[in-house]
């Protein structure tokens, strides 16, 4: 058997940390998942519900507080609900009343899009906002209650190879290499996917030249000038401006406000510090929002540290790599966050894949082909929506004026209708 992949040394610092390793008798029919992020954990749950045995390998020692806030739209919450995860998120997530667009310079309201009850009535599931760590916790806790899901941390999948009997996966666990057999390997290993780059013709994720700055602040510390800019109630608010935008919404049961500010990378490709010091914050980041409303400036200075996330994307999504190797989530289609759909697409991929595999029984090759076809079309449409949002959010000059006129005057019902294809979608049904 020819093995693909690359040798990888585990970070020695991780080795001493807590290990989760619930051992099970090796099962050659099991499905092996590389990565216990949003995509990997959701897939494990969806497969387990359909009777499959699942083994997840996660290279990190702990599934910790990585990331920041996430908006999760009804196309994903309907799936989380079926998996029992939405219930677990009930106390930490928030259902915003509306999504509001405002002008970054004047603070003027451009669009007020009520979403609270509408999401459930029209699209059959809620629109929620939460911390990524709360979502990952809810997925993990649900997974731990399934006896046919085994999770092994500190375990990086480094190589794989297939033969008629199935797939052989090599895993670096502490200082030794383990071998595991399964029927299928799913790479849910994120934007830097080893599973994807192990193939010679693989596309690598491309840097967009744009950075998302993320921070959060306790509600009681919000400056008055910023509070005055907020519409009444609990909302997702986006401020638009030339080449940049800022989004704010509540997380952690509404105790904190999460911020995402997206702007061009003025460092011209030099490495960003993981967290900024106040000087680079002032020089490189706040400067981008120079002409913006005072309330926005005030909150940006208070809500520190800001963590920089360089934004990467792939030009083409790619699901099936080999007969027994499939990618899902960011590994298959890293995308920019303008449509707030990266995690939602990871959740859709996972449920669609489980559905396709269960419906097609032993006919996996055709199931995977069909899955790949349906998901490529769907993700392509979402990526195009993201590109459109990018243009609209960051418009300047006459284009910005035209955008503002359209947003102010177009009936809200027309905007609502324009989201039916996105939020009303049921990924499981589409893959049956
Ligand atoms: C600024 C910003 C804002 C965003 N906002 C939203 C939003 O509002 N709504 C939304 O839906 N999405 C949003 N997203 C996107 C979303 O965060 C991602 O799309 C999503 O987290 C991807 O999940 P994943 O499981 O595919 O990958 P990840 O979460 O990256 O998980 C991959 C996992 O694989 C593990 N791994 C890697 N290599 C190996 C290996 N060799 N072996 C074993 N394990 C391995 C990693 O340690 C990790 O745990 C946003 C993204 C950004 C940057």
């Amino acid at each position: 058997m020819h093995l693909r992949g690359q040798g990888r040394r585990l970070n020695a610092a991780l080795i001493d940390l807590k290990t989760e390793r619930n051992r099970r008798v090796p099962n050659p029919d099991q499905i092996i998942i590389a990565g216990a992020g949003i995509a990997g954990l959701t897939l494990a749950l969806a497969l387990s519900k359909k009777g499959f045995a699942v083994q997840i390998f996660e290279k990190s020692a702990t599934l910790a507080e990585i990331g920041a806030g996430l908006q999760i739209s009804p196309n994903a919450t309907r799936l989380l609900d079926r998996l029992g995860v939405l219930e677990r998120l009930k106390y930490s997530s928030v259902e915003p009343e509306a999504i509001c667009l405002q002008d970054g310079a004047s603070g003027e309201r451009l669009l007020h899009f009520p979403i609270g009850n509408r999401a459930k009535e029209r699209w059959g599931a809620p629109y929620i906002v939460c911390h990524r760590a709360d979502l990952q916790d809810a997925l993990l806790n649900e997974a731990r209650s399934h006896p046919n899901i085994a999770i092994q941390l500190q375990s990086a999948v480094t190589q794989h190879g297939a033969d008629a009997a199935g797939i052989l996966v090599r895993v670096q666990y502490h200082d030794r290499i383990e071998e595991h057999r399964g029927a299928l390997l799913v790479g849910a290993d994120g934007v830097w996917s080893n599973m994807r780059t192990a193939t010679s013709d693989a596309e690598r994720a491309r840097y967009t030249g744009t950075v998302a700055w993320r921070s959060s602040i306790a509600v009681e510390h919000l400056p008055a000038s910023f509070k005055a800019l907020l519409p009444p109630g609990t909302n997702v608010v986006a401020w638009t401006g030339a080449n940049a935008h800022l989004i704010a919404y509540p997380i952690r049961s509404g105790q904190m406000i999460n911020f995402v500010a997206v702007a061009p990378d003025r460092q011209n490709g030099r490495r960003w510090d993981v967290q900024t010091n106040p000087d680079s914050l002032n020089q490189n980041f706040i400067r981008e929002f120079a002409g913006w409303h005072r309330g926005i400036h005030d909150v940006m200075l208070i809500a520190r540290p800001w963590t920089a996330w360089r934004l990467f994307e792939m030009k083409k999504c790619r699901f099936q790599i080999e007969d027994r190797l499939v990618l899902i989530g960011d590994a298959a289609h890293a995308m920019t966050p303008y449509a707030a759909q990266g995690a939602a697409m990871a959740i859709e991929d996972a449920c669609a894949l489980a559905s396709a595999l269960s419906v097609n029984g032993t006919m996996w090759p055709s199931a995977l082909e069909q899955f790949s076809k349906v998901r490529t079309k769907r993700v392509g449409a979402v990526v195009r929506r993201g590109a459109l949002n990018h243009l609209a959010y960051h418009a300047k000059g006459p284009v910005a004026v035209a955008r503002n006129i359209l947003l102010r005057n177009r009936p809200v019902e027309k905007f609502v209708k324009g989201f039916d294809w996105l939020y009303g979608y049921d990924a499981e049904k589409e893959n049956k």
Side-chain angles (χ1 to χ4, degrees), residues 35 38-39 57-59 70-71 132 157 189 212 214 330 340 342-344:
I38 309 299
F57 295 109
E58 165 57 50
K59 73 173 182 181
L70 287 177
Q71 302 178 57
R132 182 188 178 279
V157 174
D189 51 341
R214 299 170 113 177
D330 277 9

Side-chain angles (χ1 to χ4, degrees), residues 386-401:
L388 189 70
N389 287 0
H390 182 188
L391 286 178
Y393 280 170
H394 292 196
K396 51 188 171 195
V399 181
V401 174

Side-chain angles (χ1 to χ4, degrees), residues 150-411:
I151 303 171
Q152 186 173 310
L153 300 180
Q154 299 186 81
S155 303
V157 174
T158 55
Q159 288 183 308
H160 66 273
D163 59 20
I167 192 141
L168 177 72
V169 171
R170 286 218 171 121
V171 174
Q172 175 140 19
Y173 177 68
H174 285 219
D175 56 356
R176 66 171 185 274
I177 300 290
E178 296 182 343
E179 290 193 344
H180 296 264
R181 274 206 166 268
L184 183 73
L185 170 63
V186 182
D189 51 341
V191 60
W192 308 117
S193 172
N194 263 2
M195 309 302 117
R196 188 180 66 239
T197 50
T199 53
S200 55
D201 60 341
E203 181 196 346
R204 278 163 207 278
R206 186 187 68 88
Y207 180 43
T208 58
T210 313
V211 178
W213 296 82
R214 299 170 113 177
S215 188
S216 56
I217 181 174
V219 170
E220 66 264 27
H221 294 141
L222 289 173
S225 55
F226 178 74
K227 275 195 207 158
L229 268 179
L230 293 175
T234 309
N235 305 297
V236 174
V237 188
W239 289 271
T240 63
N243 298 324
H245 74 273
L246 171 74
I247 297 189
Y249 52 84
I251 51 170
R252 298 264 138 111
S253 318
Q255 307 295 306
M256 308 283 293
I257 299 290
N258 177 76
F259 293 100
V260 186
V262 179
D265 179 357
R266 302 293 181 200
Q267 297 272 81
N268 294 328
R270 271 188 284 142
R271 277 198 59 179
W272 289 96
D273 292 327
V274 173
Q275 287 187 346
T276 54
N277 62 44
D279 288 345
S280 64
L281 179 77
N282 288 328
Q283 285 163 23
N284 301 316
F285 168 48
I286 301 268
R287 199 172 53 189
E288 205 58 51
F289 296 83
W292 287 47
H293 193 280
R294 195 186 129 221
I296 289 174
H297 265 253
D298 290 348
V299 85
M300 281 183 165
L301 287 169
I302 288 176
R304 54 176 59 171
W306 288 84
T307 304
W309 295 63
R310 297 168 89 209
L311 297 179
F312 287 79
E313 67 180 350
M314 283 166 61
K315 279 274 165 254
K316 275 195 203 145
C317 58
R318 189 163 175 201
F319 291 97
Q320 189 160 11
I321 300 289
E322 293 161 14
D323 284 354
R324 290 178 185 269
L325 172 59
V326 189
L327 304 179
I328 59 168
D330 277 9
H333 48 64
M335 61 178 72
T336 52
Y338 301 104
Q341 285 290 318
M345 287 303 108
I347 292 165
E348 282 194 6
D349 291 346
C351 294
L353 180 57
S355 211
L357 292 177
S358 70
V359 167
N360 285 278
T362 52
M363 303 297 288
W364 282 13
S366 57
L368 294 179
E369 199 179 310
Q370 177 65 7
F371 160 80
S372 179
K373 207 165 128 194
V374 173
R375 293 307 298 158
T376 300
K377 191 168 169 218
R378 168 75 172 161
V379 172
V382 170
V383 168
R384 285 193 292 281
R385 170 54 66 96
L388 189 70
N389 287 0
H390 182 188
L391 286 178
Y393 280 170
H394 292 196
K396 51 188 171 195
V399 181
V401 174
R403 172 202 63 202
N404 291 357
I405 293 171
L406 177 81
L407 289 175
R408 275 191 224 105
N409 297 306
R410 193 171 186 232

Side-chain angles (χ1 to χ4, degrees), residues 42-228:
T42 308
L43 178 64
L45 287 172
L47 286 170
S48 166
K49 267 195 82 173
K50 298 196 186 296
F52 291 93
V54 182
Q55 170 72 62
I56 309 186
F57 295 109
E58 165 57 50
K59 73 173 182 181
S60 304
T62 49
L63 297 175
E65 297 252 327
I66 301 166
L70 287 177
Q71 302 178 57
I72 312 181
S73 48
N75 47 313
T77 55
R78 93 172 76 258
L79 303 172
L80 294 177
D81 193 20
R82 287 178 199 151
L83 296 174
V85 176
L86 197 60
E87 178 67 20
R88 289 183 183 272
L89 267 175
K90 205 160 71 184
Y91 297 107
S92 52
S93 65
V94 174
E95 270 184 56
E97 289 159 39
I99 296 177
C100 310
L101 247 69
Q102 303 194 349
D103 185 87
S106 65
E108 181 205 356
R109 176 200 283 197
L110 301 172
L111 176 72
H112 183 86
F113 184 112
I115 192 110
N117 291 332
R118 174 175 277 137
K120 285 179 281 197
E121 281 160 16
R122 188 168 182 112
W123 300 301
Y127 194 104
I128 63 168
V129 285
C130 67
H131 196 287
R132 182 188 178 279
D134 291 333
L135 173 58
Q136 197 173 24
D137 254 11
L139 289 164
L140 186 62
N141 289 333
E142 185 61 26
R144 282 181 174 136
S145 71
H146 287 236
N148 50 347
I149 299 177
I151 303 171
Q152 186 173 310
L153 300 180
Q154 299 186 81
S155 303
V157 174
T158 55
Q159 288 183 308
H160 66 273
D163 59 20
I167 192 141
L168 177 72
V169 171
R170 286 218 171 121
V171 174
Q172 175 140 19
Y173 177 68
H174 285 219
D175 56 356
R176 66 171 185 274
I177 300 290
E178 296 182 343
E179 290 193 344
H180 296 264
R181 274 206 166 268
L184 183 73
L185 170 63
V186 182
D189 51 341
V191 60
W192 308 117
S193 172
N194 263 2
M195 309 302 117
R196 188 180 66 239
T197 50
T199 53
S200 55
D201 60 341
E203 181 196 346
R204 278 163 207 278
R206 186 187 68 88
Y207 180 43
T208 58
T210 313
V211 178
W213 296 82
R214 299 170 113 177
S215 188
S216 56
I217 181 174
V219 170
E220 66 264 27
H221 294 141
L222 289 173
S225 55
F226 178 74
K227 275 195 207 158

